[in-house]
Amino acid sequence: MTIKKILVVDDSPTERLALTELLTARGYQVVTAENGEDAIARSKSETPDLILMDVVMPGMNGYQATRTISRAEDTRRIPIIMCTSKGQETDRIWGMRQGAFDYLVKPVDPAELLARIQALG
């Protein structure tokens, strides 16, 4: 699977901008969402090749959105990498149980993130 389009989900405009700049500089097309509900809608309308999902967001959190996206027939094949400040081992395990493919703790190391994206493609 070639990763071309990435959905960045984060309630922080600063974090969305930083990830968007990093990824577009590497040739990826980036679409964004500000919360879990928006992430679910965008995962269906934009059909991204990958989703980078924050956890702590107002309304539906990233765990809930990941669970919904990873279990829906039309979106379950989209890999999700959680990028979150929640760094406990139990947080990581819970994220993976919700359907995440990978889990990175913020601040995300750009080189590590790019390496994990390339490993998917």
Side-chain angles (χ1 to χ4, degrees):
M1 167 204 245
T2 303
I3 306 293
K4 293 179 181 168
K5 186 191 293 188
I6 300 174
L7 173 59
V8 173
V9 184
D10 202 303
D11 61 320
S12 163
T14 305
E15 195 70 30
R16 283 195 313 271
L17 179 63
L19 286 170
T20 297
E21 288 180 347
L22 170 70
L23 297 168
T24 54
R26 297 299 191 283
Y28 296 106
Q29 178 186 351
V30 177
V31 290
T32 61
E34 297 179 16
N35 56 52
E37 293 90 344
D38 196 19
I40 293 167
R42 295 265 174 150
S43 70
K44 293 177 183 182
S45 67
E46 296 286 342
T47 57
D49 301 308
L50 172 67
I51 299 171
L52 301 181
M53 180 78 72
D54 186 21
V55 170
V56 182
M57 297 181 286
M60 179 183 284
N61 68 39
Y63 292 136
Q64 294 166 315
T66 295
R67 183 171 52 243
T68 300
I69 292 167
S70 67
R71 294 183 182 167
E73 181 63 35
D74 51 346
T75 56
R76 69 179 182 197
R77 289 175 189 79
I78 304 169
I80 300 171
I81 298 176
M82 302 200 100
C83 298
T84 176
S85 58
K86 296 180 71 65
Q88 298 293 318
E89 183 63 13
T90 54
D91 298 322
R92 188 189 72 74
I93 291 168
W94 186 245
M96 301 303 274
R97 283 188 178 164
Q98 303 317 300
F101 185 84
D102 209 340
Y103 195 99
L104 295 172
V105 178
K106 291 180 186 175
V108 173
D109 174 19
E112 184 177 1
L113 174 61
L114 291 169
R116 295 202 190 190
I117 292 171
Q118 288 170 350
L120 286 172

